[in-house]
Amino acid sequence: MNCETCQLKELELDPTEIRDVLRCVVHTIFFHRALGLVRPKDVDCELFEITYVQCGDAELEKKIDEKLEHFVAWSEKHPNRKSQVCLSFYEVKSKQSSWFGSKVERHYWEQWIVNVNVHPINPPRSSFLNSREKVSEETSTRRSALETSVREILFQIIKFANEKQEHIPPITNTEVVSFPYEISTPSSSESQFGWNKDAIKRILQSDHPYSLS
Amino acid sequence: MASSSETPATEQVITAIFAKSLLVILQSRSPFVSSRNYSHDQIPLSPSSSSGSPSTRSSGPRDNWFNLALHDYPAALENSDFWRQSNLEPLVIDILLVNRVSGTEKLLERWVVQYETRKQPSTGRKSKRTYYMGATLLFRSLYMLVRLLPAYNLFREINSSGRIRPLGLLHRIQPFVNPLSRLEEAEMRHLSLAPIETPSGRLSHWVSYLPVLDDFSIGSEPSTPLSTEFIPDYVGSPTTDPLKRFQALPLGSSTPICVQPGRRHSWSAARLGAPNLSPLPEAQKSNKGPEGCYPFLTSSPQKASLLRGDSELVRFGELITGTSLPKEISIGGDNTRYLVGVKFSLSLDLNEDTDANYPFAPDATNRCSAGLWYFGGKKSCLLWTHNYEGERSQGAIVGALMRMLTTAPKLQIGFEKSNSLDQNPNPAPSGPRTAADALQELRNYMHMRDSILSQSGPHPSESCPDKEAKHKEETNPEKDMEEIKMP
């Protein structure tokens, strides 16, 4: 089984935009991979005119919010850095060990990497007379560009989820989120480049060759 | 009914795919099918219904098809697919923007769901689970996609207003694909979802959509919407300063009045009734024109369009309240009437050649009436006239009046009573006067006197020697003139 990886387009975010944008992206990914019985819930973004869909599972929402808060806290301590939020789906396989019984292993079959560049957007220095209008105009322009980027990412998710299906394992339960998952955010063990060591380690330790797409 | 070579179970799934596609699309495009109009409590969700068996044709199980629980839809939607005789016919859903006023329509989206049989069935056995999984994944993408396209926000806006708008969304379901026009092909973008492979065929979903919805402009309406510009200070606005300079008008020109195409402004009698009217100031003589350009005056020989006649003048007089009303005076024996109550401030240099400077030529035969136009709160006014005959411009008439006033001969005692003045063959010369002229005038005077005296008869005082001496003196003016004759 291949581990399909989807590298999403990088997002340049202001710290105040992290929650709204990442919540939209992460929930959209889960909606495509939560193949249990789902009662979709339409949610409007706070900052953009974008409506995304949640699975309607309270536990999933809570877990996502916790991870995003952790990421926000990390980004506040490490400003102006590129980082990633990694969403991984795996299946648990037990491997019979010769001596110590079965060993549970995770086989990651899909990874979604959300590339984020968080840096405070400082208003440019403008003349005193036009400062407020100019700041508002530039903020509006930047926000519009960010909305376009978010839309592109959502289309990217739809395209990837639609095209890559062969690697998806069979559904073995009736839970809303059919497959076990893992949300990884930068931690103290992060390299200086913000790469997720655990994700890379997972890929390298995978028994099967991985593919990057 | 034409049928494919699919098994009944597969046919059932294919039929459900068509139905679910229709539901997903219309719930986010048609206000009548919108799930937002229903509460979430209507759907009974239970794990036992996860199979999505269509055999139990109740709202719950049908809505759970492909693990996507959707709200029930009304009977109208259920009957919308009655025309479909088989799964071999495509499902074409056009989403149109309709202008209820003009009746025009514009195609926003075209969704197509089409099943095509494969000429040769696939060699590998495609289990029901496989294409069901494929359909499940497809509907996740479809559900998200209908919310990402531009028409969704339009649908939300129309659906949420709750009032009848001139523009609305309409859907049209057809069992065939009408070819798009060349313009539509050029304007629209195309997206297709991964097809669902069935044992004997393939189900495809694609959409053609307009990427940009520009302000609801459709059909015969202009493609570039007219920009709306609000002119806050239009002429005639009650908030506009009547003395405001308008850039289009010549300023500071030698002519004291501005060129303006003849049009009726709302600077009418009502404007004059403003409570802030004040008495007119003293005349201000300067080489400049009056303050500002006043659009109601024209230097072109046009009919004064603002006045209609004497009645208009009377109205103006009535409306000027709170000020010293001008009193009517008459000058001369003609029908000229002037309403002059205060000094006016025409800035005309009377010492210069009037014909050269004034754009208006005086006309002695001009019969006109004049009035004063007051400006609320401002210190200047202008004199305007109305020509009954409609031949002279207001400025020309002003000039005529000025000429009349400045060149009017001075009143002389006894001079008016005599008719001989009218018969004077020698009118007073306009050039410099010489002694000979004065002598001639004296002779005329004496002749006049003699004639008057002869008419009145001999006077008792005539025998008086003093009088004779006096008479002698008086009858010998030439001697006197000689004495005083200039060398």
Side-chain angles (χ1 to χ4, degrees), chain A residues 28 31-40 42 44 49 51-53 151 154-155 158 162 165 168 170-171, chain B residues 36 40 45-46 64 67-69 129 133-134 137 140-141 143-145 147-148 152-153 156 191 193-194:
Chain A
T28 301
F31 181 67
H32 282 83
R33 289 294 177 255
L35 301 183
L37 183 59
V38 162
R39 187 168 72 177
D42 295 350
D44 296 330
E49 288 187 359
T51 300
Y52 64 96
V53 186
R151 283 185 183 273
L154 298 181
F155 275 110
I158 292 173
N162 220 249
Q165 296 181 19
I168 300 175
I171 300 171
Chain B
R36 290 177 177 269
H40 287 269
L45 256 183
S46 61
N64 293 342
N67 286 346
L68 189 65
R129 191 195 70 83
M133 169 74 86
L137 291 166
R140 294 290 196 268
S141 298
Y143 194 88
M144 188 66 207
L145 183 61
R147 281 152 180 76
L148 273 184
Y152 180 70
N153 285 336
R156 287 277 300 272
L191 269 177
L193 297 175

Side-chain angles (χ1 to χ4, degrees), chain A residues 1-7 33 87-89 108-113 160 163-168 203 209-213:
Chain A
M1 184 185 302
N2 296 333
C3 180
E4 298 286 348
T5 303
C6 179
Q7 288 270 359
R33 289 294 177 255
L87 178 55
S88 308
F89 295 96
Y108 292 89
W109 52 270
E110 192 173 84
Q111 225 169 36
W112 299 80
I113 299 173
F160 183 87
E163 290 176 353
K164 308 283 184 181
Q165 296 181 19
E166 299 294 330
H167 64 290
I168 300 175
I203 294 171
Y210 61 89
S211 66
L212 288 172
S213 58

Side-chain angles (χ1 to χ4, degrees), chain B residues 148-287:
Chain B
L148 273 184
L149 296 183
Y152 180 70
N153 285 336
L154 183 58
F155 160 77
R156 287 277 300 272
E157 193 176 332
I158 292 174
N159 203 28
S160 64
S161 64
R163 54 187 174 91
I164 298 175
R165 300 169 71 114
L167 297 174
L169 282 179
L170 183 71
H171 68 271
R172 184 178 297 147
I173 302 172
Q174 303 172 107
F176 49 86
V177 181
N178 269 333
L180 296 174
S181 67
R182 190 171 283 184
L183 178 64
E184 288 169 339
E185 279 283 350
E187 286 181 327
M188 288 183 149
R189 289 188 189 169
H190 308 278
L191 269 177
S192 61
L193 297 175
I196 302 170
E197 300 288 344
T198 63
S200 300
R202 166 191 289 190
L203 260 168
S204 306
H205 289 69
W206 72 86
V207 60
S208 301
Y209 66 98
L210 279 180
V212 177
L213 303 181
D214 49 349
D215 292 344
F216 310 143
S217 61
I218 56 171
S220 57
E221 295 176 13
S223 58
T224 54
L226 298 174
S227 61
T228 304
E229 295 181 3
F230 291 97
I231 305 172
D233 57 348
Y234 63 90
V235 174
S237 166
T239 58
T240 304
D241 183 2
L243 296 183
K244 179 179 177 179
R245 292 175 182 270
F246 291 87
Q247 292 182 358
L249 302 175
L251 298 176
S253 60
S254 59
T255 59
I257 49 180
C258 302
V259 178
Q260 186 76 7
R263 70 180 172 106
R264 187 172 296 277
H265 298 276
S266 57
W267 298 80
S268 60
R271 182 73 181 121
L272 295 177
N276 56 349
L277 288 174
S278 57
L280 299 173
E282 296 181 1
Q284 297 174 2
K285 287 187 181 180
S286 66
N287 288 330

Side-chain angles (χ1 to χ4, degrees), chain B residues 15 17 36 95 105 107 118 120 144 169 186 215 223 235 253 334-335 366 394 439 456 474:
Chain B
T15 303
I17 289 173
R36 290 177 177 269
I95 306 298
E105 299 176 346
L107 182 65
R118 212 177 286 113
Q120 292 181 356
M144 188 66 207
L169 282 179
D215 292 344
S223 58
V235 174
S253 60
D334 54 6
N335 288 330
N366 188 25
Q394 294 162 335
L439 181 62
S456 60
E474 289 175 352

